[in-house]
Amino acid sequence: MSLTDEVRAAFANTPDPRTRELADAAVRHLHAFATEVGLTRAEWRAGIDFLTAIGHITTETRQEFILLSDTLGLSSLVETLIEPGGTEHTVLGPLYVPGSPVRELGDSTLVDEDAGERVEISGRVLGPDGPLRAELDVWQNASNRLYAVQDPAQSPENLRGRFVTGEDGRFAFRTIRPVPYPIPDDGPVGRMLAATARHPWRPAHIHFIVTAPGHRALTTHVFDAASEYLDSDAVFGERDSLVTSFEGGRATFDFRLEREVPGALHESR
Ligand code: BEZ
Ligand code: FE
């Protein structure tokens, strides 16, 4: 029996079938990777050190493991495995902070002074049968490129908010135009990007998590069509269907939610 098969056999009695499937595939692919590249002891050690450094820098507000998954395209791939239908999903990213303040429709998410260009974002949330009463959880960066969670100079609630649509599914809020920004690149993931001649930039976008009872939660972005880096997003999160114009102080976007299917493989976040 090969070493790989011996390890697979060690997992064969895993009681939960899905856990067994995941463990078996992980072992097969890890072993195939090491065999294919002829992984040396020094390279194995460098990999362990890299993951250890990622663990050490990770805190409540700095999630370097998600950043690694993002820069490897894994987070984006997982979003594409959700059954198609409705607005395309894209990465959550490591900068999401739950519990944003609930704001009134038409209000601004901007709490602090900011010289950024003012914009109004509006649109509708639609289900398979028409408009939905939904919640939109929104977050974005300031014109210094930083999200509030990264920047002690910003109020913690700056440029974040939750909005609840009316029965007509309509929403509108005021904010500033988001700007392109580099993902946090002062840690192990940044060293990986530098060593592989990759840049850390993301195109300008606003994040949304859109939820409505009985419907699959939608985690997505709306991108500014005029932004740099739409073709080379460092985390592979750009989707052409999510790009819209922010010209003239206005951006509109309609979100389409799919009905929740009980027991579906890819349940809501
Ligand atoms: C973000 O869009 O907030 C983000 C996504 C992936 C990595 C870093 C930041
Ligand atoms: Fe972002």
Side-chain angles (χ1 to χ4, degrees):
M1 194 192 266
S2 71
L3 176 68
T4 301
D5 284 343
E6 214 179 304
V7 178
R8 291 176 66 195
F11 283 101
N13 295 328
T14 304
D16 177 63
R18 179 64 174 164
T19 306
R20 188 165 64 241
E21 182 183 1
L22 295 175
D24 186 63
V27 168
R28 279 189 289 108
H29 287 277
L30 260 181
H31 282 225
F33 161 73
T35 306
E36 180 187 315
V37 300
L39 195 69
T40 68
R41 212 186 267 153
E43 289 162 347
W44 170 84
R45 181 70 217 193
I48 297 289
D49 291 345
F50 178 59
L51 293 176
T52 304
I54 287 175
H56 283 161
I57 204 172
T58 295
T59 65
E60 206 50 43
T61 53
R62 169 82 188 241
Q63 231 305 357
E64 196 81 357
F65 279 106
I66 295 186
L67 203 57
L68 175 64
S69 165
D70 294 340
T71 49
L72 293 177
L74 179 63
S75 314
S76 193
L77 178 65
V78 168
E79 297 299 332
T80 67
L81 296 177
I82 296 171
E83 276 109 71
T87 298
E88 281 193 276
H89 294 244
T90 190
V91 297
L92 175 70
L95 305 175
Y96 173 60
V97 180
S100 283
V102 176
R103 304 186 189 280
E104 295 295 319
L105 290 178
D107 275 359
S108 180
T109 57
L110 186 63
V111 173
D112 297 339
E113 296 285 309
D114 195 303
E117 184 183 334
R118 269 43 181 174
V119 286
E120 187 191 70
I121 317 288
S122 63
R124 286 174 306 164
V125 180
L126 303 167
D129 301 326
L132 289 178
R133 190 176 171 83
E135 182 188 274
L136 299 98
D137 194 341
V138 178
W139 70 106
Q140 68 168 92
N141 62 354
S143 49
N144 70 355
R145 300 180 181 147
L146 296 172
Y147 287 73
V149 69
Q150 300 173 290
D151 182 6
Q154 289 181 48
S155 308
E157 299 188 340
N158 195 37
L159 295 167
R160 303 166 51 202
R162 284 182 290 157
F163 296 91
V164 179
T165 70
E167 298 293 342
D168 59 0
R170 289 193 183 280
F171 69 88
F173 63 92
R174 291 172 294 117
T175 183
I176 53 165
R177 194 167 180 171
V179 293
Y181 64 94
I183 62 171
D185 64 349
D186 57 342
V189 168
R191 291 198 290 280
M192 177 192 77
L193 294 180
T196 53
R198 289 178 52 188
H199 75 70
W201 289 85
R202 295 214 64 204
H205 58 269
I206 301 180
H207 293 256
F208 291 84
I209 297 176
V210 186
T211 49
H215 292 74
R216 209 162 65 192
L218 168 67
T219 301
T220 196
H221 303 358
V222 173
F223 292 90
D224 183 340
S227 177
E228 259 188 278
Y229 306 110
L230 286 168
D231 292 333
S232 65
D233 185 350
V235 302
F236 311 98
E238 189 271 344
R239 310 274 191 264
D240 290 351
S241 67
L242 303 178
V243 177
T244 194
S245 168
F246 279 64
E247 297 303 319
R250 200 165 283 281
T252 61
F253 198 87
D254 288 346
F255 296 96
R256 289 171 197 278
L257 302 192
E258 289 291 291
R259 220 173 263 110
E260 185 89 87
V261 180
L265 184 58
H266 296 288
E267 71 283 6
S268 287
R269 170 166 278 130

